[in-house]
């Protein structure tokens, strides 16, 4: 047997060497994979939408409608409603360019003053807490009716007047954004239309300005009659996933992809601003939730063509997260854009 051992060893080595070579090759490949390398950020982390989390708010809207239909609201709150409906009709007849909630003529200015006066009377007679509670009920009641009227308007044109009283120029905005079709059939989830309407209601009643000119905490109603945080988070997360790109933004960006990322960044920054206002400690994050804001912001800056800002943002993230290969690779891609090889 001993005489045959050298031959057996040679045969065994012959079989093992190819396996060893494969192992070495895999080792080299694995090392190559983990080495830092520029990778363009095409999959920015997005805020997630939990549709089931909206169920309590929707149930509250429905309870409010049943409550109003069973027992009318106080006269002081009904006066606010009347002024709101009148403002909507005026707004629908001559919707302003840009912000649908900013009056641009004496009629609407007068109606806005009537709204302010009606709110003042309600606060004086009912007290601040009761007025806010009843106005929240009224907003929910109107949101429920708006959704019903929107659903009926396509097949029952005679209902258009009531829809106009409830929503004013909002319908034009929904059409322009592609959120409804020409016959007003919804093209986005009903829950999104509900939240957008409640935001419209709050904006009109309190005369809130355009979000491009006001702080996010103001234009989303946190300082007046706030929506539930989950509602605002859902609306903005939906807009990040499906950004509404304006013609002027498209012209500046040069292509739809960059314009979409620029718009996503606007909505993402609004979520962060709302968090800073509502939760300065940063512990609860009621608006951003679990979204990886720094990484998402860096990716959206890159997509929008703002490479220097993307590099600066992603460098901070990469330095803070030694084991985050994605952040490191995205940072390198941004660095390359700013320091091209001659």
């Amino acid at each position: 047997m001993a005489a045959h051992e050298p031959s057996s060893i040679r045969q065994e080595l012959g079989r093992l060497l190819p396996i060893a070579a494969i192992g070495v090759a895999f080792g080299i490949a694995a090392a190559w994979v983990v080495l830092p390398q520029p990778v363009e950020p095409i999959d920015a982390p997005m805020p997630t939408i939990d549709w089931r989390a909206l169920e309590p708010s929707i149930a509250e809207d429905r309870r409010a409608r049943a409550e109003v239909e069973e027992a009318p609201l106080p006269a002081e709150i009904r006066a606010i409603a009347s002024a709101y409906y009148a403002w909507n009709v005026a707004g629908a007849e001559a919707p302003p360019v840009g912000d649908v909630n900013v009056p641009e003529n004496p009629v609407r200015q007068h109606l806005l003053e009537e709204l302010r006066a009606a709110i003042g009377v309600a606060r004086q007679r009912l007290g601040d807490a009761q007025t806010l509670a009843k106005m929240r009920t009224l907003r929910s009641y109107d949101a429920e009716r708006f959704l019903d009227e929107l659903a009926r308007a396509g097949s029952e044109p005679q209902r258009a007047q009531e829809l106009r009283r409830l929503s004013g120029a909002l319908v034009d905005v929904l059409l322009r954004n592609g959120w409804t079709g020409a016959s007003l059939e919804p093209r986005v989830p009903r829950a999104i239309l509900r939240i957008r309407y409640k935001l419209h209601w709050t904006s009109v009643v309190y005369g809130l300005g355009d979000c491009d000119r006001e702080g996010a905490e103001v234009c989303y109603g946190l300082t007046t009659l706030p929506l539930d945080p989950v509602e605002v988070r859902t609306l903005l997360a939906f807009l990040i996933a499906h950004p509404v790109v304006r013609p002027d933004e498209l012209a500046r960006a040069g292509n739809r992809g960059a314009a979409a990322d620029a718009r996503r960044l606007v909505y993402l920054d609004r979520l962060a601003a709302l968090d800073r206002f509502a939760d300065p400690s940063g512990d609860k994050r009621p608006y951003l939730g679990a979204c990886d804001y720094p990484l998402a912001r860096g990716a959206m800056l890159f997509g929008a063509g703002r490479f220097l800002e993307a590099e600066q943002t992603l460098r901070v993230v990469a330095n803070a997260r030694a084991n985050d290969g994605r952040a490191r690779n995205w940072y390198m891609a941004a660095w390359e854009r700013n320091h091209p090889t001659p």
Side-chain angles (χ1 to χ4, degrees):
M1 290 294 293
H4 297 287
E5 283 181 0
S7 176
S8 299
I9 292 172
R10 283 195 297 272
Q11 290 173 357
E12 189 66 22
L13 285 174
R15 287 194 297 270
L16 291 175
L17 280 173
I19 298 174
I22 293 171
V24 171
F26 272 118
I28 293 172
W32 176 258
V33 169
V34 299
L35 284 175
Q37 53 186 315
V39 177
E40 295 196 353
I42 59 174
D43 55 343
M46 302 283 193
T48 57
I49 295 178
D50 181 0
W51 298 106
R52 294 191 64 179
L54 291 170
E55 291 176 359
S57 297
I58 295 172
E60 181 58 35
D61 289 346
R62 291 171 178 164
R63 280 194 296 271
R65 180 174 189 170
E67 176 186 326
V68 174
E69 289 177 346
E70 183 175 341
L73 288 164
E76 294 82 359
I77 303 301
R78 296 201 304 273
I80 295 172
S82 296
Y84 166 69
Y85 303 146
W87 197 99
N88 274 328
V89 171
E93 290 175 351
V97 176
D99 182 9
V100 299
N101 298 318
V102 177
E104 294 183 348
N105 61 46
V107 172
R108 276 179 294 193
Q109 184 61 45
H110 173 70
L111 291 170
L112 203 56
E113 290 170 0
E114 282 195 358
L115 259 171
R116 299 292 168 276
I119 294 173
V121 170
R123 293 176 64 184
Q124 183 180 19
R125 294 180 180 175
L126 303 176
D128 288 346
Q130 182 75 347
T131 297
L132 284 175
K134 293 301 182 182
M135 287 178 70
R136 184 180 294 276
T137 297
L138 174 62
R139 182 174 67 185
S140 292
Y141 171 67
D142 283 342
E144 281 286 301
R145 292 201 298 141
F146 163 75
L147 291 171
D148 284 354
E149 293 299 329
L150 187 67
R152 298 167 64 178
S155 57
E156 301 178 37
Q158 69 273 18
R159 304 299 303 181
Q161 176 63 21
E162 185 61 17
L163 181 63
R164 185 170 63 166
R165 288 180 69 249
L166 283 167
S167 59
L170 176 63
V171 171
D172 296 323
V173 175
L174 299 178
L175 280 165
R176 186 167 63 246
N177 292 351
W179 286 16
T180 65
S183 298
L184 300 184
E185 68 278 8
R187 291 182 175 174
V188 299
R190 182 180 172 92
I192 295 297
L193 294 173
R194 176 189 298 275
I195 299 166
R196 183 62 185 85
Y197 177 80
K198 291 167 79 171
L199 189 61
H200 166 83
W201 192 100
T202 309
S203 185
V204 169
V205 169
Y206 286 97
L208 306 182
D210 190 308
C211 286
D212 291 334
R213 298 191 296 269
E214 298 275 6
E217 71 279 3
V218 174
C219 73
Y220 285 95
L222 269 64
T223 58
T224 50
L225 188 64
L227 278 70
D228 289 343
V230 67
E231 294 180 296
V232 179
R233 183 170 70 242
T234 299
L235 177 63
L236 286 171
F238 182 83
L239 284 165
I240 290 170
H242 309 280
V244 177
V245 177
R246 301 172 181 175
D248 60 313
E249 294 170 336
L250 182 58
R252 283 197 302 270
N255 64 79
R256 184 161 293 277
D261 268 324
R263 199 66 199 159
R264 286 189 178 99
L265 185 60
V266 169
Y267 299 133
L268 183 71
D269 282 345
R270 287 179 186 172
L271 279 173
L274 292 171
D275 258 357
R276 288 192 296 270
F277 179 84
D279 179 33
S281 69
D283 294 333
K284 298 179 181 178
R285 293 166 57 98
Y287 294 94
L288 275 170
C291 176
D292 189 341
Y293 173 67
L295 194 61
R297 192 172 197 279
M300 291 175 193
L301 283 166
F302 188 99
R306 295 162 60 178
F307 300 120
L308 181 58
E309 293 171 85
E311 178 190 342
Q312 294 167 343
T313 300
L314 292 169
R315 179 172 62 240
V316 172
V317 179
N319 288 340
R321 307 177 189 178
N323 298 321
D324 190 336
R326 180 168 60 166
R328 184 178 60 245
N329 294 342
W330 287 3
Y331 160 64
M332 291 182 67
W335 188 92
E336 279 199 345
R337 288 294 188 114
N338 294 311
H339 306 86
T341 303

